[in-house]
Amino acid sequence: MEAYKQWVCRNREYVHSLGSLANGLTWLLPEKFSASEIGPEAVTAFLGIFTTINEHIIENAPTTPGHVGSPGTDSSLSYPLLIAILKDFETVVEVAAEHFYGDKKWNYIIGTEAMKALIRLALFRNSGYKMLLQGGETPNDGKDSNQSELQNRAGNSDRNPHSFGNQNHHNPWNLEGRAMSALSSFGQNARTRTTTHYNSGWSRRIQHQQAVIEPAMIKERRTTLSELLSEKGVKGALFVIGEVLFITRPLIYVLFIRRYGVRSWIPWAISLSVDTLGMGILSNLKLCGEKSKQIHFSQPERDELRRRKLLWALYLMRDPFFTKYTRQKLESSQKTVEPVPLIGFLTEKIVELLVGAQSRYTYISGS
């Protein structure tokens, strides 16, 4: 296994390209959307799981010999990896259940959605109640790229005491930089005086060992629910409610489908209501209230909110809206461009793929 991991890390670009190509070609498999053919979906799921595991190996590969991994990372049990594998496997479960049990397939779909919801809730808790990115498949370190860049600039300036003196007076880091420079100079002088009695080579080895060992001992402290509620108050509680609604929305949707049927408007409307309520809560957390109680989203979290809004387009592909409105529009557009030689052929294939994908719950679940 270790030899395979090393091979994947050495050939990461080749592995990534091969995985993307294989997953793309699976859409061209014959009988891809046939209810009686489990083979094509099994091939797709196997390739998807294989690609997911390879990506996990590449992402968690040490960048340097002394690299220790991110805090709280456990390579033996990775929630993002479990979620990704389950998403790849759930289509096979749906097709097999439909083939053998017909409409009772929703019992098995409920089982897969319940497993994903439980894993995501556990990840949400273990991450210190941070927003799930890409449904939990992407770790959320809680850092903003712009903020990290400012901190890196400040750190570089701290290492050079003269850099602050050469900056303009309106620089917000000016006073802090001077204070840090003075403290750094004082500490350097004190350290020089106290270490003159020791062998310089030995002391350098001790300092190097401490620099390697100390990062491995530092672990990020996870915020508990009580700490979040005491620090952010009502806004903290609303954030947790909004995130839990997003996590449990697919499970709620399939539970109502089993109760009322896929052709009923009730599951469609309830799912849309849960999405609207959860997104409304998360999008309006910073509109009012004390500044110290506000929830501040990082840039990846703001991108995640935009991604979730884009997922609402899937409601156009879900029954009964698709059968009554979207499919008619697609077929009328196809007939309009059908006389055009190349465009008509491509439009026909696109409509065929969309209609076939719509027949699978897992392709339009948004979970």
Side-chain angles (χ1 to χ4, degrees), residues 262-265 316-330 358:
V262 72
R263 301 293 182 182
S264 173
W265 283 99
L316 302 177
M317 299 292 296
R318 294 171 185 158
D319 279 329
F321 192 94
F322 179 83
T323 303
K324 293 189 175 182
Y325 301 103
T326 307
R327 185 166 186 169
Q328 296 178 5
K329 294 293 182 182
L330 290 174
Q358 194 275 335

Side-chain angles (χ1 to χ4, degrees), residues 47-121:
L47 291 175
I49 294 172
F50 183 71
T51 303
T52 299
I53 294 175
N54 288 337
E55 293 292 337
H56 177 74
I57 293 174
I58 293 173
E59 291 175 0
N60 290 274
T63 55
T64 60
H67 177 74
V68 180
S70 58
T73 315
D74 186 358
S75 58
S76 63
L77 179 61
S78 172
Y79 287 116
L81 179 61
L82 289 176
I83 294 171
I85 291 176
L86 194 57
K87 288 181 66 175
D88 289 327
F89 189 68
E90 64 181 350
T91 305
V92 180
V93 174
E94 178 184 1
V95 175
E98 185 176 2
H99 177 73
F100 292 108
Y101 302 104
D103 290 339
K104 293 183 179 180
K105 71 175 184 177
W106 293 108
N107 295 330
Y108 297 90
I109 295 176
I110 288 173
T112 58
E113 288 294 358
M115 290 175 62
K116 285 194 295 183
L118 290 174
I119 294 173
R120 284 169 174 157
L121 288 173

Side-chain angles (χ1 to χ4, degrees), residues 217-233:
M217 298 175 63
I218 298 175
K219 291 186 178 180
E220 183 181 358
R221 187 176 180 277
R222 297 167 181 169
T223 303
T224 63
L225 181 59
S226 59
E227 290 174 346
L228 177 65
L229 296 179
S230 62
E231 180 183 352
K232 299 299 182 180

Side-chain angles (χ1 to χ4, degrees), residues 133-152:
L133 304 181
Q134 297 291 329
E137 294 183 61
T138 301
N140 185 357
D141 56 7
K143 295 180 181 179
D144 197 328
S145 56
N146 297 329
Q147 202 172 39
S148 300
E149 185 179 354
L150 288 175
Q151 291 175 353
N152 290 334

Side-chain angles (χ1 to χ4, degrees), residues 272-333:
L272 180 60
S273 300
V274 173
D275 261 338
T276 305
L277 178 60
M279 183 58 63
I281 291 174
L282 295 175
S283 300
N284 296 289
L285 284 177
K286 297 195 294 183
L287 290 183
C288 59
E290 300 178 15
K291 193 170 184 180
S292 61
K293 300 285 187 180
Q294 290 181 356
I295 304 293
H296 298 281
F297 295 130
S298 63
Q299 184 59 47
E301 290 172 340
R302 291 193 291 270
D303 294 339
E304 171 64 17
L305 290 177
R306 285 191 286 268
R307 185 191 74 87
R308 294 181 185 182
K309 291 179 181 178
L310 292 176
L311 289 178
W312 288 6
L314 292 174
Y315 283 98
L316 302 177
M317 299 292 296
R318 294 171 185 158
D319 279 329
F321 192 94
F322 179 83
T323 303
K324 293 189 175 182
Y325 301 103
T326 307
R327 185 166 186 169
Q328 296 178 5
K329 294 293 182 182
L330 290 174
E331 291 176 348
S332 63
S333 300

